[in-house]
Amino acid sequence: MGTVVDAANKEASGIVTDKKPTVVFVLGGPGSGKGTQCANIVQHFGYTHLSAGDLLRAEIKSGSENGTMIQNMIKEGKIVPSEVTIKLLQQAIQESANDKFLIDGFPRNEENRAAFENVTKIEPAFVLFFDCSEEEMERRLLSRDQGREDDNIETIRKRFKVFLESSLPVIEYYNSKGKVRKIDAGRPVEEVFESVQAIFSPKNEKAD
């Protein structure tokens, strides 16, 4: 299989303007604390945090033709095509002066994952998976005061179901390649970050 990867890498250097970024996918259910830990990783390890949702929202706000199309799809309850999200991620990677990226909340499903690797020719260095019980995520979401209208019990449970059905196959795929770093995200923020640091600090790479 090495030859396929080598070919993909050669091709990638042409596409991504000679940039060979380090990409870490960050996955976890709603309320697993991904956002907080991504902010810590950015601060301590110099990564650039790319949120697929934020990029889509920014594109909508820009009023571009692409943004209008995305907005209409979301309004109609349709899923934005993988290619659209991937193009925005790819653009953000190419325009950044950095070469280390956390991609948060993407890929959401197997189709996203396959399309991302296919289009960008980038394979993630690893997947950071924040594993948290549904009870704990539910408790966190209901207690946060951010006034998000999707933080009610029915919607929360629906979001859990979508996460389990869509994202777990992605985690299983990368797990089979030895690329998943699972973190017990049900603990206090500081303890979770200690585990995160152990993964990102090269000298502690073996510590878990």
Side-chain angles (χ1 to χ4, degrees):
M1 192 177 153
T3 49
V4 177
V5 174
D6 295 343
N9 285 343
K10 280 198 192 81
E11 212 175 317
S13 55
I15 294 173
V16 192
T17 57
D18 286 341
K19 193 173 204 176
K20 296 191 78 177
T22 299
V23 166
V24 174
F25 287 147
V26 183
L27 294 175
S32 60
K34 296 194 309 289
T36 303
Q37 297 301 336
C38 282
N40 284 336
I41 297 164
V42 167
Q43 199 184 335
H44 289 81
F45 299 101
Y47 276 72
T48 293
H49 177 204
L50 298 176
S51 153
D54 286 352
L55 288 171
L56 288 168
R57 282 187 283 275
E59 189 68 16
I60 290 169
K61 237 185 215 163
S62 75
S64 69
E65 206 176 307
N66 201 22
T68 307
M69 183 265 292
I70 295 167
Q71 190 169 23
N72 290 338
M73 293 200 76
I74 293 171
K75 262 192 199 139
E76 289 163 25
K78 292 180 182 162
I79 287 179
V80 177
S82 295
E83 280 69 23
V84 173
T85 308
I86 291 163
K87 286 237 165 66
L88 292 174
L89 287 166
Q90 201 172 18
Q91 200 179 332
I93 288 170
Q94 286 174 3
E95 288 171 1
S96 170
N98 203 351
D99 61 353
K100 301 189 297 186
F101 299 90
L102 298 173
I103 296 184
D104 171 12
F106 186 92
R108 280 183 181 275
N109 53 40
E110 257 303 285
E111 192 263 332
N112 276 176
R113 178 202 65 72
F116 181 86
E117 289 190 10
N118 209 15
V119 171
T120 64
K121 305 290 182 262
I122 297 169
E123 265 200 47
F126 58 90
V127 175
L128 195 59
F129 172 37
F130 289 100
D131 191 23
C132 196
S133 72
E134 268 191 43
E135 295 75 33
E136 176 60 21
M137 290 193 281
E138 200 171 285
R139 190 187 65 72
R140 289 177 184 179
L141 289 173
L142 290 171
S143 67
R144 71 181 183 190
D145 279 330
Q146 291 174 341
R148 277 178 58 165
E149 68 268 18
D150 55 357
D151 283 352
N152 65 61
I153 199 78
E154 287 77 23
T155 315
I156 286 168
R157 290 192 174 148
K158 219 174 274 177
R159 285 163 70 202
F160 288 153
K161 192 167 183 288
V162 168
F163 171 74
L164 286 171
E165 287 170 1
S166 309
S167 299
L168 280 183
V170 175
I171 291 159
E172 279 158 13
Y173 170 83
Y174 284 119
N175 202 26
S176 72
K177 302 183 106 184
K179 286 193 169 197
V180 173
R181 308 286 180 269
K182 186 158 99 168
I183 285 180
D184 172 5
R187 298 167 298 157
V189 172
E190 298 74 22
E191 284 180 36
V192 173
F193 187 55
E194 277 173 24
S195 300
V196 169
Q197 278 180 304
I199 289 167
F200 280 87
S201 305
K203 48 184 185 304
N204 299 337
E205 218 147 33
K206 307 253 175 332
D208 205 349

